[in-house]
Amino acid sequence: MICRICKGKASVELRAHNISLCSKDFIIFFERRILKTIEKFNLIKKNEDKTAVAVSGGKDSLSLLYVLKILGYEASGVYINLGIPDYSEISKEKCKIFSERFDIPVYMFSLTDYLRKNIYEVSRFMKRPACSVCGNVKRYVMNRFCIEYGYTTLATGHNLDDEAATLFSNLMNFNRNHLGKEFLSLPSKLNTVKKVKPFALVSEREVAIYALLNNIDYIYDECPYSKGATSLKYKEAINFIEEGSPGSKLKFMKNYLKNIDIFNSDAKKPKEDNSCSLCGFLTTQNVCSFCNILIRVGAENIISDFRDYFVKL
Ligand code: SF4
Ligand code: ZN
Protein backbone atom coordinates (compact mmCIF):
# COMPACT_ATOMS: atom_id res chain seq x y z
CA MET A 1 0.00 0.00 0.00
CA ILE A 2 1.32 3.42 -1.04
CA CYS A 3 0.42 6.66 0.76
CA ARG A 4 -1.65 8.82 -1.62
CA ILE A 5 0.06 12.00 -0.35
CA CYS A 6 3.78 11.28 0.21
CA LYS A 7 4.05 8.04 -1.84
CA GLY A 8 5.78 6.38 1.12
CA LYS A 9 4.54 3.21 2.80
CA ALA A 10 0.88 3.53 3.78
CA SER A 11 -0.31 2.14 7.10
CA VAL A 12 -4.01 3.08 7.02
CA GLU A 13 -6.53 2.10 4.38
CA LEU A 14 -9.74 4.16 4.30
CA ARG A 15 -12.16 2.35 1.99
CA ALA A 16 -14.90 4.93 2.55
CA HIS A 17 -12.61 7.58 1.06
CA ASN A 18 -10.89 5.24 -1.37
CA ILE A 19 -7.40 6.17 -0.15
CA SER A 20 -4.44 4.77 1.75
CA LEU A 21 -2.27 7.00 3.93
CA CYS A 22 0.86 6.83 6.07
CA SER A 23 0.46 7.64 9.78
CA LYS A 24 1.63 11.24 9.42
CA ASP A 25 -0.68 12.02 6.50
CA PHE A 26 -3.60 10.24 8.17
CA ILE A 27 -3.27 12.58 11.17
CA ILE A 28 -3.21 15.63 8.87
CA PHE A 29 -6.18 14.27 6.87
CA PHE A 30 -8.18 13.59 10.06
CA GLU A 31 -7.47 16.96 11.69
CA ARG A 32 -8.32 18.84 8.48
CA ARG A 33 -11.70 17.13 8.29
CA ILE A 34 -12.51 18.03 11.90
CA LEU A 35 -11.54 21.65 11.27
CA LYS A 36 -13.65 21.70 8.11
CA THR A 37 -16.69 20.30 9.96
CA ILE A 38 -16.29 22.86 12.76
CA GLU A 39 -15.99 25.75 10.32
CA LYS A 40 -18.61 24.63 7.79
CA PHE A 41 -21.29 24.06 10.43
CA ASN A 42 -20.12 26.95 12.62
CA LEU A 43 -19.75 24.69 15.65
CA ILE A 44 -17.08 26.53 17.64
CA LYS A 45 -15.70 30.04 17.16
CA LYS A 46 -11.96 30.30 17.69
CA ASN A 47 -10.92 33.02 20.22
CA GLU A 48 -14.57 33.48 21.19
CA ASP A 49 -15.94 30.20 22.49
CA LYS A 50 -14.69 28.35 25.52
CA THR A 51 -15.46 24.65 25.07
CA ALA A 52 -16.05 21.93 27.65
CA VAL A 53 -15.69 18.41 26.25
CA ALA A 54 -17.79 15.77 28.02
CA VAL A 55 -15.18 13.04 28.59
CA SER A 56 -15.85 9.46 29.62
CA GLY A 57 -12.33 8.03 29.46
CA GLY A 58 -13.17 6.47 26.06
CA LYS A 59 -11.41 7.05 22.75
CA ASP A 60 -13.97 9.40 21.20
CA SER A 61 -14.22 11.98 23.95
CA LEU A 62 -10.50 12.02 24.82
CA SER A 63 -9.52 12.26 21.14
CA LEU A 64 -11.97 15.12 20.68
CA LEU A 65 -10.51 17.07 23.59
CA TYR A 66 -7.02 16.40 22.21
CA VAL A 67 -7.77 17.44 18.63
CA LEU A 68 -9.55 20.63 19.72
CA LYS A 69 -6.40 21.64 21.60
CA ILE A 70 -4.20 20.75 18.62
CA LEU A 71 -6.42 22.87 16.36
CA GLY A 72 -6.03 25.85 18.71
CA TYR A 73 -9.42 25.91 20.48
CA GLU A 74 -9.77 26.74 24.16
CA ALA A 75 -11.03 23.50 25.70
CA SER A 76 -11.15 21.53 28.96
CA GLY A 77 -12.65 18.17 29.84
CA VAL A 78 -15.48 17.46 32.24
CA TYR A 79 -15.97 13.94 33.56
CA ILE A 80 -18.81 12.48 35.64
CA ASN A 81 -17.89 9.67 38.00
CA LEU A 82 -21.04 7.52 38.07
CA GLY A 83 -19.73 5.21 40.80
CA ILE A 84 -19.99 2.06 38.65
CA PRO A 85 -17.72 -0.59 40.23
CA ASP A 86 -14.46 -1.15 38.24
CA TYR A 87 -15.66 0.73 35.15
CA SER A 88 -15.74 4.15 36.84
CA GLU A 89 -12.37 3.66 38.56
CA ILE A 90 -10.67 2.75 35.28
CA SER A 91 -12.36 5.50 33.25
CA LYS A 92 -11.44 8.11 35.86
CA GLU A 93 -7.83 6.91 35.81
CA LYS A 94 -7.71 7.21 31.99
CA CYS A 95 -8.97 10.80 32.21
CA LYS A 96 -6.35 11.60 34.84
CA ILE A 97 -3.53 10.05 32.78
CA PHE A 98 -4.73 11.99 29.73
CA SER A 99 -4.87 15.29 31.62
CA GLU A 100 -1.32 14.83 32.96
CA ARG A 101 0.18 13.53 29.71
CA PHE A 102 -1.14 16.34 27.52
CA ASP A 103 -1.42 19.04 30.16
CA ILE A 104 -5.11 19.62 29.44
CA PRO A 105 -7.41 20.27 32.42
CA VAL A 106 -10.14 17.72 33.17
CA TYR A 107 -12.71 18.43 35.91
CA MET A 108 -14.59 15.67 37.69
CA PHE A 109 -18.05 15.59 39.24
CA SER A 110 -18.62 12.58 41.48
CA LEU A 111 -22.22 11.43 41.70
CA THR A 112 -21.50 9.35 44.79
CA ASP A 113 -19.93 12.33 46.57
CA TYR A 114 -22.90 14.49 45.64
CA LEU A 115 -25.80 12.11 46.26
CA ARG A 116 -24.15 9.39 48.37
CA LYS A 117 -25.47 6.99 45.73
CA ASN A 118 -24.12 5.58 42.49
CA ILE A 119 -26.08 5.59 39.22
CA TYR A 120 -27.47 2.11 39.82
CA GLU A 121 -28.78 3.06 43.27
CA VAL A 122 -30.29 6.27 41.92
CA SER A 123 -32.02 4.35 39.12
CA ARG A 124 -33.49 1.93 41.72
CA PHE A 125 -34.92 4.90 43.60
CA MET A 126 -36.38 6.28 40.39
CA LYS A 127 -37.68 2.86 39.24
CA ARG A 128 -36.21 3.61 35.82
CA PRO A 129 -33.41 2.04 33.71
CA ALA A 130 -29.90 3.22 34.63
CA CYS A 131 -29.29 4.71 31.16
CA SER A 132 -32.42 6.82 31.24
CA VAL A 133 -31.52 8.35 34.62
CA CYS A 134 -27.87 8.65 33.57
CA GLY A 135 -28.92 10.65 30.48
CA ASN A 136 -30.76 13.16 32.69
CA VAL A 137 -27.84 13.42 35.11
CA LYS A 138 -25.22 13.85 32.38
CA ARG A 139 -27.18 16.48 30.46
CA TYR A 140 -27.83 18.51 33.58
CA VAL A 141 -24.37 18.23 35.20
CA MET A 142 -22.45 18.96 31.98
CA ASN A 143 -24.57 21.99 31.20
CA ARG A 144 -24.41 23.25 34.77
CA PHE A 145 -20.62 22.93 34.70
CA CYS A 146 -20.51 25.12 31.58
CA ILE A 147 -22.74 27.78 33.11
CA GLU A 148 -20.98 27.83 36.49
CA TYR A 149 -17.50 28.00 34.99
CA GLY A 150 -18.14 30.26 31.98
CA TYR A 151 -17.94 27.73 29.12
CA THR A 152 -20.00 28.71 26.08
CA THR A 153 -20.06 25.34 24.31
CA LEU A 154 -20.41 21.71 25.30
CA ALA A 155 -18.84 19.25 22.86
CA THR A 156 -19.48 15.51 22.85
CA GLY A 157 -17.52 12.76 21.09
CA HIS A 158 -20.42 11.22 19.14
CA ASN A 159 -18.93 9.82 15.94
CA LEU A 160 -20.36 8.98 12.51
CA ASP A 161 -21.31 5.45 13.60
CA ASP A 162 -23.30 6.81 16.57
CA GLU A 163 -25.01 9.50 14.53
CA ALA A 164 -25.84 7.28 11.56
CA ALA A 165 -27.36 4.69 13.95
CA THR A 166 -29.46 7.38 15.66
CA LEU A 167 -30.62 8.75 12.32
CA PHE A 168 -31.46 5.26 11.08
CA SER A 169 -33.48 4.56 14.22
CA ASN A 170 -35.31 7.90 13.97
CA LEU A 171 -36.19 7.14 10.35
CA MET A 172 -37.27 3.57 11.09
CA ASN A 173 -39.57 4.84 13.83
CA PHE A 174 -40.55 8.06 12.07
CA ASN A 175 -39.57 9.95 15.18
CA ARG A 176 -40.86 13.33 14.02
CA ASN A 177 -39.65 15.18 17.12
CA HIS A 178 -36.06 14.34 16.36
CA LEU A 179 -35.91 14.16 12.57
CA GLY A 180 -36.11 17.90 11.98
CA LYS A 181 -33.35 18.67 14.48
CA GLU A 182 -29.86 19.60 13.44
CA PHE A 183 -27.52 16.73 14.34
CA LEU A 184 -24.25 18.55 14.58
CA SER A 185 -25.23 21.40 16.86
CA LEU A 186 -28.03 22.55 19.12
CA PRO A 187 -28.14 26.30 19.77
CA SER A 188 -28.01 27.78 23.27
CA LYS A 189 -31.17 28.91 25.01
CA LEU A 190 -32.30 29.89 28.50
CA ASN A 191 -29.44 28.79 30.81
CA THR A 192 -28.41 26.10 28.35
CA VAL A 193 -25.18 26.29 26.39
CA LYS A 194 -24.70 25.36 22.73
CA LYS A 195 -24.06 21.64 22.15
CA VAL A 196 -21.84 20.43 19.32
CA LYS A 197 -20.61 17.14 17.83
CA PRO A 198 -17.43 17.80 15.81
CA PHE A 199 -16.82 14.05 15.22
CA ALA A 200 -20.22 13.42 13.61
CA LEU A 201 -18.68 12.94 10.17
CA VAL A 202 -15.68 10.75 11.11
CA SER A 203 -16.08 7.04 11.72
CA GLU A 204 -15.40 5.20 14.95
CA ARG A 205 -12.52 3.38 13.26
CA GLU A 206 -10.90 6.64 12.17
CA VAL A 207 -11.14 8.01 15.72
CA ALA A 208 -9.62 4.81 17.13
CA ILE A 209 -6.68 5.06 14.69
CA TYR A 210 -6.20 8.75 15.56
CA ALA A 211 -6.17 7.89 19.30
CA LEU A 212 -3.66 5.11 18.76
CA LEU A 213 -1.31 7.22 16.62
CA ASN A 214 -1.34 10.01 19.21
CA ASN A 215 -0.67 7.74 22.15
CA ILE A 216 -4.03 8.47 23.78
CA ASP A 217 -4.61 5.83 26.42
CA TYR A 218 -8.32 5.08 26.82
CA ILE A 219 -10.71 2.58 28.39
CA TYR A 220 -11.58 -0.25 26.00
CA ASP A 221 -14.49 -1.63 27.99
CA GLU A 222 -17.94 -0.23 27.45
CA CYS A 223 -20.10 0.79 30.39
CA PRO A 224 -21.72 -2.44 31.69
CA TYR A 225 -25.18 -0.87 31.28
CA SER A 226 -24.67 -0.38 27.53
CA LYS A 227 -25.04 -4.12 26.85
CA GLY A 228 -28.11 -4.93 24.79
CA ALA A 229 -28.76 -1.28 23.86
CA THR A 230 -31.04 -1.12 20.79
CA SER A 231 -28.65 1.35 19.12
CA LEU A 232 -26.17 -1.54 18.71
CA LYS A 233 -28.61 -3.31 16.37
CA TYR A 234 -28.86 -0.21 14.17
CA LYS A 235 -25.06 0.07 14.16
CA GLU A 236 -24.74 -3.55 13.05
CA ALA A 237 -27.27 -3.05 10.25
CA ILE A 238 -25.46 0.04 8.94
CA ASN A 239 -22.06 -1.65 9.23
CA PHE A 240 -23.39 -4.49 7.11
CA ILE A 241 -24.31 -2.02 4.34
CA GLU A 242 -20.99 -0.17 4.76
CA GLU A 243 -19.07 -3.43 4.37
CA GLY A 244 -20.54 -4.08 0.92
CA SER A 245 -20.63 -0.46 -0.12
CA PRO A 246 -17.88 1.62 1.56
CA GLY A 247 -18.79 5.27 2.12
CA SER A 248 -22.55 4.69 2.51
CA LYS A 249 -22.53 5.69 6.17
CA LEU A 250 -21.00 9.07 5.41
CA LYS A 251 -23.26 9.59 2.40
CA PHE A 252 -26.30 8.79 4.55
CA MET A 253 -25.38 11.51 7.09
CA LYS A 254 -24.34 14.07 4.49
CA ASN A 255 -27.51 13.61 2.48
CA TYR A 256 -29.58 13.95 5.63
CA LEU A 257 -27.85 17.24 6.48
CA LYS A 258 -28.44 18.49 2.93
CA ASN A 259 -32.14 17.59 3.09
CA ILE A 260 -32.87 18.40 6.72
CA ASP A 261 -35.38 21.09 5.73
CA ILE A 262 -37.85 18.55 4.40
CA PHE A 263 -38.30 17.26 7.96
CA ASN A 264 -38.67 20.63 9.66
CA SER A 265 -42.21 21.27 8.51
CA ASP A 266 -43.12 17.81 9.78
CA ALA A 267 -41.63 18.23 13.26
CA LYS A 268 -44.14 18.56 16.07
CA LYS A 269 -44.30 21.92 17.83
CA PRO A 270 -41.84 21.67 20.75
CA LYS A 271 -43.22 21.90 24.28
CA GLU A 272 -42.94 25.31 25.85
CA ASP A 273 -39.72 26.15 27.72
CA ASN A 274 -39.93 26.83 31.43
CA SER A 275 -37.54 27.58 34.31
CA CYS A 276 -37.33 24.88 36.96
CA SER A 277 -38.94 26.17 40.14
CA LEU A 278 -36.10 24.72 42.22
CA CYS A 279 -32.88 25.38 40.30
CA GLY A 280 -34.01 27.85 37.59
CA PHE A 281 -32.63 25.77 34.72
CA LEU A 282 -34.45 24.86 31.51
CA THR A 283 -37.33 22.39 31.65
CA THR A 284 -40.71 21.84 30.05
CA GLN A 285 -42.21 20.93 33.44
CA ASN A 286 -42.53 22.78 36.70
CA VAL A 287 -39.51 20.95 38.18
CA CYS A 288 -36.64 19.75 35.94
CA SER A 289 -35.78 16.06 35.68
CA PHE A 290 -32.56 16.49 37.68
CA CYS A 291 -34.29 18.23 40.59
CA ASN A 292 -36.92 15.55 40.39
CA ILE A 293 -34.16 12.98 41.00
CA LEU A 294 -32.89 15.01 43.96
CA ILE A 295 -36.39 15.11 45.45
CA ARG A 296 -36.86 11.37 45.01
CA VAL A 297 -33.56 10.56 46.72
CA GLY A 298 -34.25 13.18 49.42
CA ALA A 299 -31.40 15.52 48.46
CA GLU A 300 -33.14 18.65 47.15
CA ASN A 301 -31.34 20.81 49.74
CA ILE A 302 -27.95 20.42 48.01
CA ILE A 303 -28.79 22.20 44.75
CA SER A 304 -27.00 25.42 45.70
CA ASP A 305 -23.67 23.71 46.54
CA PHE A 306 -23.32 22.36 43.02
CA ARG A 307 -20.29 24.38 41.97
CA ASP A 308 -18.11 23.04 44.80
CA TYR A 309 -18.45 19.48 43.59
CA PHE A 310 -16.25 19.91 40.50
CA VAL A 311 -12.63 19.01 41.23
CA LYS A 312 -9.64 19.07 38.91
CA LEU A 313 -8.27 15.57 38.28
FE1 SF4 B 1 -24.79 6.03 31.47
FE2 SF4 B 1 -26.02 3.99 30.25
FE3 SF4 B 1 -24.03 5.24 29.02
FE4 SF4 B 1 -23.54 3.69 31.13
S1 SF4 B 1 -24.33 3.03 29.13
S2 SF4 B 1 -22.68 5.72 30.77
S3 SF4 B 1 -25.34 4.07 32.39
S4 SF4 B 1 -26.01 6.13 29.57
ZN1 ZN C 1 -34.10 21.96 38.47
PDB file of all heavy atoms in Angstrom, residues 140 144 276-283 286-292 303, ligand 2:
ATOM      1  N   TYR A 140     -27.715  17.419  32.617  1.00  0.00           N
ATOM      2  CA  TYR A 140     -27.825  18.508  33.579  1.00  0.00           C
ATOM      3  C   TYR A 140     -26.442  18.915  34.109  1.00  0.00           C
ATOM      4  O   TYR A 140     -26.086  20.088  34.111  1.00  0.00           O
ATOM      5  CB  TYR A 140     -28.718  18.080  34.750  1.00  0.00           C
ATOM      6  CG  TYR A 140     -28.997  19.221  35.705  1.00  0.00           C
ATOM      7  CD1 TYR A 140     -30.093  20.052  35.508  1.00  0.00           C
ATOM      8  CD2 TYR A 140     -28.162  19.479  36.790  1.00  0.00           C
ATOM      9  CE1 TYR A 140     -30.342  21.105  36.369  1.00  0.00           C
ATOM     10  CE2 TYR A 140     -28.398  20.535  37.650  1.00  0.00           C
ATOM     11  CZ  TYR A 140     -29.498  21.342  37.438  1.00  0.00           C
ATOM     12  OH  TYR A 140     -29.740  22.394  38.292  1.00  0.00           O
ATOM     13  N   ARG A 144     -24.597  22.418  33.571  1.00  0.00           N
ATOM     14  CA  ARG A 144     -24.414  23.245  34.770  1.00  0.00           C
ATOM     15  C   ARG A 144     -22.930  23.597  34.947  1.00  0.00           C
ATOM     16  O   ARG A 144     -22.586  24.694  35.354  1.00  0.00           O
ATOM     17  CB  ARG A 144     -24.959  22.463  35.963  1.00  0.00           C
ATOM     18  CG  ARG A 144     -25.026  23.210  37.252  1.00  0.00           C
ATOM     19  CD  ARG A 144     -26.313  23.974  37.444  1.00  0.00           C
ATOM     20  NE  ARG A 144     -26.207  24.812  38.620  1.00  0.00           N
ATOM     21  CZ  ARG A 144     -26.867  24.612  39.761  1.00  0.00           C
ATOM     22  NH1 ARG A 144     -27.735  23.646  39.847  1.00  0.00           N
ATOM     23  NH2 ARG A 144     -26.686  25.416  40.787  1.00  0.00           N
ATOM     24  N   CYS A 276     -37.038  25.791  35.843  1.00  0.00           N
ATOM     25  CA  CYS A 276     -37.328  24.879  36.958  1.00  0.00           C
ATOM     26  C   CYS A 276     -37.575  25.702  38.228  1.00  0.00           C
ATOM     27  O   CYS A 276     -36.798  26.613  38.533  1.00  0.00           O
ATOM     28  CB  CYS A 276     -36.140  23.931  37.142  1.00  0.00           C
ATOM     29  SG  CYS A 276     -36.203  22.974  38.650  1.00  0.00           S
ATOM     30  N   SER A 277     -38.610  25.371  38.959  1.00  0.00           N
ATOM     31  CA  SER A 277     -38.941  26.173  40.140  1.00  0.00           C
ATOM     32  C   SER A 277     -37.933  25.974  41.274  1.00  0.00           C
ATOM     33  O   SER A 277     -37.871  26.750  42.209  1.00  0.00           O
ATOM     34  CB  SER A 277     -40.352  25.842  40.625  1.00  0.00           C
ATOM     35  OG  SER A 277     -40.413  24.470  40.918  1.00  0.00           O
ATOM     36  N   LEU A 278     -37.104  24.931  41.167  1.00  0.00           N
ATOM     37  CA  LEU A 278     -36.100  24.721  42.224  1.00  0.00           C
ATOM     38  C   LEU A 278     -34.725  25.282  41.855  1.00  0.00           C
ATOM     39  O   LEU A 278     -34.105  25.986  42.629  1.00  0.00           O
ATOM     40  CB  LEU A 278     -35.961  23.225  42.528  1.00  0.00           C
ATOM     41  CG  LEU A 278     -37.077  22.605  43.361  1.00  0.00           C
ATOM     42  CD1 LEU A 278     -36.827  21.124  43.543  1.00  0.00           C
ATOM     43  CD2 LEU A 278     -37.149  23.279  44.732  1.00  0.00           C
ATOM     44  N   CYS A 279     -34.254  24.968  40.654  1.00  0.00           N
ATOM     45  CA  CYS A 279     -32.883  25.385  40.304  1.00  0.00           C
ATOM     46  C   CYS A 279     -32.850  26.504  39.266  1.00  0.00           C
ATOM     47  O   CYS A 279     -31.805  27.107  39.042  1.00  0.00           O
ATOM     48  CB  CYS A 279     -32.075  24.187  39.800  1.00  0.00           C
ATOM     49  SG  CYS A 279     -32.599  23.622  38.172  1.00  0.00           S
ATOM     50  N   GLY A 280     -33.955  26.761  38.582  1.00  0.00           N
ATOM     51  CA  GLY A 280     -34.012  27.850  37.592  1.00  0.00           C
ATOM     52  C   GLY A 280     -33.542  27.444  36.203  1.00  0.00           C
ATOM     53  O   GLY A 280     -33.576  28.246  35.278  1.00  0.00           O
ATOM     54  N   PHE A 281     -33.111  26.183  36.039  1.00  0.00           N
ATOM     55  CA  PHE A 281     -32.627  25.767  34.720  1.00  0.00           C
ATOM     56  C   PHE A 281     -33.771  25.272  33.833  1.00  0.00           C
ATOM     57  O   PHE A 281     -34.879  25.035  34.315  1.00  0.00           O
ATOM     58  CB  PHE A 281     -31.511  24.718  34.870  1.00  0.00           C
ATOM     59  CG  PHE A 281     -30.194  25.358  35.205  1.00  0.00           C
ATOM     60  CD1 PHE A 281     -29.906  25.756  36.505  1.00  0.00           C
ATOM     61  CD2 PHE A 281     -29.271  25.644  34.217  1.00  0.00           C
ATOM     62  CE1 PHE A 281     -28.719  26.398  36.823  1.00  0.00           C
ATOM     63  CE2 PHE A 281     -28.079  26.285  34.521  1.00  0.00           C
ATOM     64  CZ  PHE A 281     -27.799  26.663  35.825  1.00  0.00           C
ATOM     65  N   LEU A 282     -33.441  25.151  32.535  1.00  0.00           N
ATOM     66  CA  LEU A 282     -34.455  24.855  31.508  1.00  0.00           C
ATOM     67  C   LEU A 282     -35.209  23.531  31.740  1.00  0.00           C
ATOM     68  O   LEU A 282     -34.605  22.516  32.037  1.00  0.00           O
ATOM     69  CB  LEU A 282     -33.753  24.809  30.148  1.00  0.00           C
ATOM     70  CG  LEU A 282     -34.640  24.675  28.928  1.00  0.00           C
ATOM     71  CD1 LEU A 282     -35.420  25.951  28.689  1.00  0.00           C
ATOM     72  CD2 LEU A 282     -33.799  24.347  27.697  1.00  0.00           C
ATOM     73  N   THR A 283     -36.501  23.594  31.578  1.00  0.00           N
ATOM     74  CA  THR A 283     -37.328  22.393  31.646  1.00  0.00           C
ATOM     75  C   THR A 283     -38.631  22.659  30.902  1.00  0.00           C
ATOM     76  O   THR A 283     -38.934  23.813  30.594  1.00  0.00           O
ATOM     77  CB  THR A 283     -37.624  21.994  33.119  1.00  0.00           C
ATOM     78  OG1 THR A 283     -38.473  20.862  33.135  1.00  0.00           O
ATOM     79  CG2 THR A 283     -38.299  23.110  33.902  1.00  0.00           C
ATOM     80  N   ASN A 286     -42.670  21.828  35.610  1.00  0.00           N
ATOM     81  CA  ASN A 286     -42.528  22.780  36.702  1.00  0.00           C
ATOM     82  C   ASN A 286     -41.174  22.579  37.400  1.00  0.00           C
ATOM     83  O   ASN A 286     -40.482  23.522  37.759  1.00  0.00           O
ATOM     84  CB  ASN A 286     -43.708  22.577  37.678  1.00  0.00           C
ATOM     85  CG  ASN A 286     -43.638  23.529  38.839  1.00  0.00           C
ATOM     86  OD1 ASN A 286     -43.154  24.646  38.692  1.00  0.00           O
ATOM     87  ND2 ASN A 286     -44.100  23.095  39.996  1.00  0.00           N
ATOM     88  N   VAL A 287     -40.809  21.301  37.566  1.00  0.00           N
ATOM     89  CA  VAL A 287     -39.513  20.950  38.181  1.00  0.00           C
ATOM     90  C   VAL A 287     -38.727  20.150  37.149  1.00  0.00           C
ATOM     91  O   VAL A 287     -39.281  19.265  36.491  1.00  0.00           O
ATOM     92  CB  VAL A 287     -39.751  20.085  39.457  1.00  0.00           C
ATOM     93  CG1 VAL A 287     -38.443  19.544  39.997  1.00  0.00           C
ATOM     94  CG2 VAL A 287     -40.460  20.902  40.529  1.00  0.00           C
ATOM     95  N   CYS A 288     -37.419  20.451  36.977  1.00  0.00           N
ATOM     96  CA  CYS A 288     -36.642  19.745  35.941  1.00  0.00           C
ATOM     97  C   CYS A 288     -36.369  18.298  36.355  1.00  0.00           C
ATOM     98  O   CYS A 288     -36.505  17.937  37.527  1.00  0.00           O
ATOM     99  CB  CYS A 288     -35.342  20.487  35.645  1.00  0.00           C
ATOM    100  SG  CYS A 288     -34.075  20.289  36.900  1.00  0.00           S
ATOM    101  N   SER A 289     -35.953  17.484  35.376  1.00  0.00           N
ATOM    102  CA  SER A 289     -35.782  16.055  35.679  1.00  0.00           C
ATOM    103  C   SER A 289     -34.656  15.815  36.690  1.00  0.00           C
ATOM    104  O   SER A 289     -34.717  14.864  37.473  1.00  0.00           O
ATOM    105  CB  SER A 289     -35.542  15.264  34.405  1.00  0.00           C
ATOM    106  OG  SER A 289     -34.567  15.887  33.648  1.00  0.00           O
ATOM    107  N   PHE A 290     -33.656  16.680  36.706  1.00  0.00           N
ATOM    108  CA  PHE A 290     -32.561  16.491  37.678  1.00  0.00           C
ATOM    109  C   PHE A 290     -33.057  16.785  39.095  1.00  0.00           C
ATOM    110  O   PHE A 290     -32.813  16.000  40.018  1.00  0.00           O
ATOM    111  CB  PHE A 290     -31.371  17.389  37.322  1.00  0.00           C
ATOM    112  CG  PHE A 290     -30.170  17.125  38.174  1.00  0.00           C
ATOM    113  CD1 PHE A 290     -29.375  16.015  37.966  1.00  0.00           C
ATOM    114  CD2 PHE A 290     -29.839  17.981  39.221  1.00  0.00           C
ATOM    115  CE1 PHE A 290     -28.273  15.751  38.764  1.00  0.00           C
ATOM    116  CE2 PHE A 290     -28.739  17.723  40.030  1.00  0.00           C
ATOM    117  CZ  PHE A 290     -27.950  16.606  39.797  1.00  0.00           C
ATOM    118  N   CYS A 291     -33.767  17.899  39.257  1.00  0.00           N
ATOM    119  CA  CYS A 291     -34.286  18.233  40.592  1.00  0.00           C
ATOM    120  C   CYS A 291     -35.287  17.183  41.047  1.00  0.00           C
ATOM    121  O   CYS A 291     -35.395  16.885  42.233  1.00  0.00           O
ATOM    122  CB  CYS A 291     -34.919  19.630  40.590  1.00  0.00           C
ATOM    123  SG  CYS A 291     -33.666  20.917  40.499  1.00  0.00           S
ATOM    124  N   ASN A 292     -35.993  16.625  40.078  1.00  0.00           N
ATOM    125  CA  ASN A 292     -36.916  15.548  40.387  1.00  0.00           C
ATOM    126  C   ASN A 292     -36.169  14.355  41.002  1.00  0.00           C
ATOM    127  O   ASN A 292     -36.634  13.736  41.955  1.00  0.00           O
ATOM    128  CB  ASN A 292     -37.592  15.126  39.071  1.00  0.00           C
ATOM    129  CG  ASN A 292     -38.958  14.590  39.328  1.00  0.00           C
ATOM    130  OD1 ASN A 292     -39.474  14.685  40.439  1.00  0.00           O
ATOM    131  ND2 ASN A 292     -39.533  13.993  38.304  1.00  0.00           N
ATOM    132  N   ILE A 303     -28.873  21.580  46.071  1.00  0.00           N
ATOM    133  CA  ILE A 303     -28.791  22.199  44.752  1.00  0.00           C
ATOM    134  C   ILE A 303     -27.796  23.363  44.709  1.00  0.00           C
ATOM    135  O   ILE A 303     -26.995  23.489  43.795  1.00  0.00           O
ATOM    136  CB  ILE A 303     -30.185  22.703  44.306  1.00  0.00           C
ATOM    137  CG1 ILE A 303     -31.111  21.514  44.105  1.00  0.00           C
ATOM    138  CG2 ILE A 303     -30.104  23.513  43.018  1.00  0.00           C
ATOM    139  CD1 ILE A 303     -32.556  21.912  43.940  1.00  0.00           C
TER     140      ILE A 303
HETATM  141 ZN    ZN B   2     -34.099  21.959  38.468  1.00  0.00          ZN
END
